[in-house]
């Protein structure tokens, strides 16, 4: 089987599916040579005139530039710089409308020519055969050369990707688009320069064969190229039939080699490289002459142009300037200017759009020559579009999915294989602008893919950052561990311990010591005492008689807390006593100002006040009725004082005993005169009671007992209304104010001490003492039992008072009857 090269030498050709034969209309512009370029009033130079990244600015507003000077620079492979087409001044850098189907604006450099057309430095490579291919590729890139056949892909990048793996180099000279004759005229006028450019490309790629594919409707160009390559055995010229779009990259490869480029692939995938005629000429100018890409051949054609032709146009020349130069007469009814041919071109929004590297034709047709597209109608499913498609696609389905926004289906139906040739729209009877739908769908898919790619890159950067942070963390930990190990080794070598380990050990030891001293011995003892008292009270309650009143104790935890508080208060009081200057020398002064916040001091002060009251009572009673001292009574008071110092609850028991005694001698105590000493004791007692709210409750109970006694006395003694009124007022006051209750309690205790000796001389003293002692014991065990005992004592006091009154009345009656009996 013959190889592709052998088949090419034998002149074998293939065909591609579909295709159309529209009117060529090439005779309008290919009859005259390419005219020279001219200087317009201003040049609008877009920064992006190629497929790829935009370069960075190298000039600023107001800078003077020379012809061929680079205006941008870039180090990106998929980017090329732009150059000044002539010498002049940078007037502005602003957004202007660019040559694009969208009609959008982009950043442009506005250059005002100075008319001198002065060249800058030219970097030429006269003997390129002695240069490295990589140096030639870089030189081509720096001269700003990109594909001039349509897409504008950077030529240097294209050559670099195919270097060393190209078997066949194809030069596209088909120029199948109607009306366009730029390449045709370029080949006729500059065939030698084109062939030289082809040799440079062949030197870089080193292919096995170079083929120039040209349509048979260009006989003059074919003759010129044949004359230029007659001595070049490695360059073949193959004439192909005229058929649109035979100038497409994939279609021309199919015609010349019979091979098909894979879906979404490039010719380099099958060992083929394709370059345009205009690109080959630009490479020759860049390498041999040192001129960057600053101009190109543009076809000016259409029936509204008086002199259709091909001309050299400086990049950045406004379309309106070209039209004016060659006699453009606007069609008043339907003005329209198309950039490109009638099949793949697009209508310009206005004529101030500049010429770029990919602009090869300006078509200004009349309304009769090229009618405007009509209104879009519904598809009639004629399949004409599918039959005309040169890529064997299904244009009808693609249009449906593109219109519906189903871009996944568009890709599934190989939308990106569409070359946008316009053959489907040309044959559509419904005048559906199919190519417009495809372009819009392609742009949207590219945009989405770019967003997805950006998101993926951001994700990768984020993951890389996290990985780096974890790695740095591990490295730090390893460094710290190594440093610690080295420090331990150094300490061991020096005979010392690790300072860090020692510090940690000290902290742990301190924590353990603190944990061990949380419960102090005093607190533990108080807790044990409280539990013992509770157990004793429960035992007594269980052994009590059925008739006795026993209240259960369900406040164990409360007692424990109170015990802890009492221990804390005792510690605080002891500390305060130690800090005092003379606590023993002045006990009365200390008692005169008890601490309002310390119950212990309040209890001590109350005991002192009771002792003083007893002494005063004894002195007062010795003046009225001499009696012998009662040492037995003083002993219990002293014992009560010691008990109250030890426990505030015992103070409540002592108060209960005082109330019992007060009830026994209430009538005798009320008949005595007020004593100043008692008032002093009462004031001290008032201060004591204010420090403890419990004493207020005790005083209130005493006041109620006094009220009952006062009522009985008022009934039996009508000559004492003032005392009864005072007692009633005291009862009301104590109910309204705890402080007044405290005063009343103090008065009651004073009166009790005054009448204590008289009450003890009664015959029923032993019987009353026993219940009082029992009440004292119960009250020490439980405060609730103390209240019960107080109530029992009050009842007994009332009974004793009534019995005393009855006995006094009987004695009085007996005394009254004795004189009468004696007289008899």
């Amino acid at each position: 089987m013959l190889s592709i090269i052998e088949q090419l030498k034998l002149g074998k050709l293939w065909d591609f599916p579909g295709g159309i034969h529209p009117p060529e209309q090439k005779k309008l512009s290919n009859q005259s040579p390419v005219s020279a370029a001219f200087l317009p009033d201003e040049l609008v130079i877009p920064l992006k005139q190629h497929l790829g990244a935009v370069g960075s600015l190298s000039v600023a507003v107001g800078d003077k530039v020379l012809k061929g000077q680079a205006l941008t620079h870039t180090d990106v492979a998929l980017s090329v710089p732009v150059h000044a087409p002539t010498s002049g001044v940078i007037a502005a850098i602003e957004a202007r409308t660019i040559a694009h189907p969208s009609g959008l604006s982009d950043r442009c450099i506005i250059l005002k020519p100075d008319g001198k057309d002065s060249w800058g430095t030219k970097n030429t490579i006269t003997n390129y055969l002695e240069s490295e291919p990589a140096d030639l590729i870089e030189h081509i890139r720096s001269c700003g050369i990109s594909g001039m056949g349509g897409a504008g892909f950077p030529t240097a990048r294209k050559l670099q990707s195919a270097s060393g793996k190209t078997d066949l180099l194809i030069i596209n000279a088909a120029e199948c688009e109607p009306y366009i004759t730029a390449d045709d005229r370029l080949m006729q006028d500059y065939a030698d320069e084109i062939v030289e450019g082809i040799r440079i490309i062949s030197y870089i790629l080193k292919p096995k064969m170079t083929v120039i594919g040209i349509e048979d409707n260009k006989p003059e160009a074919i003759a010129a190229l044949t004359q230029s390559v007659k001595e070049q055995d490695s360059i073949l010229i193959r004439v192909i039939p005229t058929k649109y779009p035979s100038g497409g990259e994939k279609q021309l490869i199919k015609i010349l080699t019979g091979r098909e480029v894979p879906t979404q692939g490039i010719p380099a995938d099958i060992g083929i490289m394709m370059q345009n005629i205009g690109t080959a000429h630009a490479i020759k100018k860049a390498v041999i002459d040192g001129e960057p890409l600053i101009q190109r051949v543009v076809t000016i054609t259409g029936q509204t142009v008086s002199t259709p032709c091909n001309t050299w146009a400086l990049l950045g020349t406004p379309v309106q300037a070209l039209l004016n130069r060659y006699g453009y007469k606007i069609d008043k009814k339907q003005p329209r200017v198309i950039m490109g041919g009638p099949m793949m071109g697009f209508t310009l929004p206005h004529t101030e759009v500049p010429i770029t590297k990919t602009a090869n034709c300006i078509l200004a047709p009349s309304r009769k020559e090229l009618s405007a597209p009509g209104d879009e109608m519904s598809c009639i499913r004629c399949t004409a579009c599918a039959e005309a498609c040169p890529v064997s696609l299904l244009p009808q389905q693609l249009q449906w999915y593109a219109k519906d926004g189903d871009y996944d289906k568009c890709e599934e139906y190989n939308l990106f294989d569409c070359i946008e040739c316009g053959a489907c729209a040309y044959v559509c009877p419904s005048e559906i602008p199919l190519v417009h739908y495809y372009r819009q769908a392609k742009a949207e898919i590219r945009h989405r893919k770019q967003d997805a790619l950006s998101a993926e890159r951001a994700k990768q950067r984020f993951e890389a950052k996290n990985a780096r942070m974890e790695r740095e963390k591990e490295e730090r930990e390893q460094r710290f561990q190594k440093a610690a190990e080295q420090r331990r080794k150094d300490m061991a070598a020096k005979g010392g311990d690790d300072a860090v380990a020692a510090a940690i050990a000290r902290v742990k030891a301190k924590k353990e010591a603190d944990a061990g001293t949380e419960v102090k011995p005093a607190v533990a003892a108080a807790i044990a005492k409280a539990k013992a008292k509770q157990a004793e009270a429960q035992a007594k309650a269980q052994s009590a008689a059925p008739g006795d009143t026993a209240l259960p104790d369900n406040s164990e935890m409360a007692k424990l807390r109170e015990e802890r508080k009492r221990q804390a208060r005792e510690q605080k009081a002891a500390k305060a006593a130690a800090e005092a200057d003379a606590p023993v020398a002045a006990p009365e002064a200390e008692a005169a100002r008890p601490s309002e916040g310390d119950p212990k001091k309040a209890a001590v002060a109350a005991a002192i006040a009771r002792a003083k009251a007893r002494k005063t009572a004894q002195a007062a009673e010795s003046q009225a009725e001499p009696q012998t001292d009662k040492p037995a009574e003083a002993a219990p008071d002293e014992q009560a004082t010691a008990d109250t110092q030890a426990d505030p609850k015992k103070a409540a028991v002592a108060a209960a005993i005082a109330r019992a005694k007060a009830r026994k001698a209430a009538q005798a105590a009320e008949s005595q005169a007020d004593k100043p000493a008692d008032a002093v004791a009462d004031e001290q007692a008032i201060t004591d009671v204010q420090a403890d709210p419990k004493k207020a409750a005790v005083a209130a109970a005493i006041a109620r007992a006094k009220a009952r006694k006062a009522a009985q006395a008022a009934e039996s003694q009508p000559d004492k209304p003032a005392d009864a009124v005072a007692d009633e007022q005291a009862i009301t006051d104590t109910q309204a104010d705890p402080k007044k209750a405290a005063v009343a309690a103090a008065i009651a205790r004073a009166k009790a001490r005054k009448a204590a000796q008289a009450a003890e001389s009664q015959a029923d003293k032993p019987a009353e003492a026993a219940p009082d002692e029992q009440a004292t014991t119960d009250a020490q065990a439980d405060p609730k039992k103390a209240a019960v005992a107080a109530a029992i004592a009050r009842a007994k006091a009332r009974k004793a008072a009534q019995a005393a009154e009855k006995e006094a009345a009987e004695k009085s009656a007996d005394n009254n009857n004795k004189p009468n009996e004696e007289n008899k």
Side-chain angles (χ1 to χ4, degrees), residues 371-675:
S371 61
D375 295 335
E376 178 181 346
M377 294 178 287
S378 299
C379 177
I380 62 174
R381 296 175 177 83
C382 63
T383 70
C385 57
E387 293 174 358
C389 180
V391 195
S392 300
L393 299 178
L394 298 175
Q396 178 186 1
Q397 281 78 2
L398 287 173
Q399 188 264 341
W400 288 345
Y401 295 134
K403 189 175 182 179
D404 190 50
D406 191 349
Y407 301 117
D408 293 336
K409 277 290 184 180
C410 290
E411 292 190 83
E412 183 180 343
Y413 278 76
N414 300 319
L415 174 64
F416 282 91
D417 284 346
C418 175
I419 63 175
E420 302 178 17
C421 64
C424 55
Y426 180 81
V427 299
C428 180
S430 298
E431 299 188 10
I432 300 174
L434 297 171
V435 177
H436 294 288
Y437 287 108
Y438 304 155
R439 286 174 177 169
Q440 183 178 1
K442 285 182 178 180
E444 183 64 25
I445 292 172
R446 290 191 187 99
H447 181 70
R448 293 189 177 188
K449 287 185 177 180
Q450 185 63 36
D451 290 345
L453 182 61
S454 299
E456 182 63 24
R457 289 175 179 173
K459 180 182 177 181
Q460 293 176 359
R461 291 196 300 270
F462 177 74
E463 292 176 351
K465 177 184 176 182
N466 289 343
R468 186 181 69 253
M469 293 177 67
E470 289 293 333
R471 185 170 60 254
E472 292 176 353
K473 181 180 179 181
E474 293 178 358
E475 292 175 356
R476 285 196 302 271
E477 291 178 353
Q478 292 177 0
R479 290 198 303 269
F480 294 157
Q481 185 176 1
K482 290 180 180 179
E485 292 177 356
Q486 185 64 35
R487 184 171 59 253
R488 293 190 186 97
K489 291 180 180 179
D490 295 342
M491 294 293 292
K494 295 179 181 178
D497 295 331
D498 189 355
V500 177
I504 294 173
R506 288 195 298 272
V507 172
K508 289 182 179 180
K510 184 177 181 181
K511 288 183 178 179
E512 292 176 357
D514 294 341
T517 57
E518 286 182 357
V519 180
K520 296 181 178 181
V523 177
I527 294 172
K529 182 190 290 186
K531 289 183 178 180
K533 288 183 179 180
Q534 183 179 4
E536 183 181 358
Q538 290 178 354
K540 290 182 179 181
Q542 292 176 358
S543 61
D548 296 341
T549 302
L551 297 178
D553 184 11
N554 56 356
S555 59
E556 180 180 355
M557 296 305 298
K559 289 182 177 181
L560 293 176
R561 287 195 294 269
E562 291 295 331
E563 190 66 23
R564 294 190 188 96
K565 293 181 181 179
R566 186 183 66 79
Q567 293 289 340
R569 288 193 296 269
E570 289 178 357
Q571 293 177 3
K572 186 176 180 180
K575 183 177 180 181
E579 293 177 355
D581 295 333
V584 180
E588 294 181 0
E590 185 66 24
R593 48 181 180 86
S595 174
E596 294 181 358
D598 195 346
K600 181 179 179 181
K601 290 186 178 182
V604 174
I608 295 172
R610 286 195 295 272
K612 288 184 178 182
R614 284 193 295 272
K615 292 179 182 180
T616 305
Q618 292 175 2
E621 290 174 358
S622 64
Q623 294 178 359
E625 186 177 355
Q627 296 180 358
T628 60
D629 294 338
K630 307 292 182 181
E633 183 180 356
D637 289 338
E638 294 174 359
Q639 183 63 30
T641 302
D643 293 341
T644 55
Q645 291 177 353
D647 192 352
K649 293 183 179 179
K650 293 182 179 180
V653 177
I657 296 173
R659 287 196 300 272
K661 291 181 179 182
R663 285 192 293 271
K664 294 176 184 178
Q667 295 178 353
E670 291 176 354
S671 63
Q672 295 180 3
D674 295 337
K675 300 296 186 293

Side-chain angles (χ1 to χ4, degrees), residues 312-333:
W312 286 104
L314 297 177
L315 301 183
T317 302
V319 172
Q320 184 63 47
L322 291 172
L323 294 175
N324 292 339
R325 182 177 178 83
Y326 297 103
Y328 169 65
K329 295 180 181 179
I330 187 170
D331 191 334
K332 295 181 180 179
K333 292 185 178 181

Side-chain angles (χ1 to χ4, degrees), residues 83-103:
H83 300 77
T86 186
S87 60
V89 179
I90 305 299
I93 300 175
E94 60 189 15
R96 293 287 186 92
T97 306
I98 61 173
H100 193 271
S102 64

Side-chain angles (χ1 to χ4, degrees), residues 686-748:
I686 291 170
T687 305
D688 297 339
V689 175
Q690 289 176 350
D692 193 354
K694 293 182 179 179
K695 293 182 179 181
V698 176
I702 295 172
R704 287 194 296 272
K706 287 177 64 180
R708 286 193 293 271
K709 293 177 183 179
Q712 295 176 0
E715 293 176 358
S716 63
Q717 298 179 4
D719 57 342
K720 295 181 181 180
D723 294 340
V725 173
D727 292 339
E728 293 175 357
Q729 183 64 28
I731 293 170
T732 304
D733 294 341
T734 55
Q735 293 177 350
D737 192 354
K739 294 182 179 181
K740 292 183 179 181
V743 175
I747 295 172

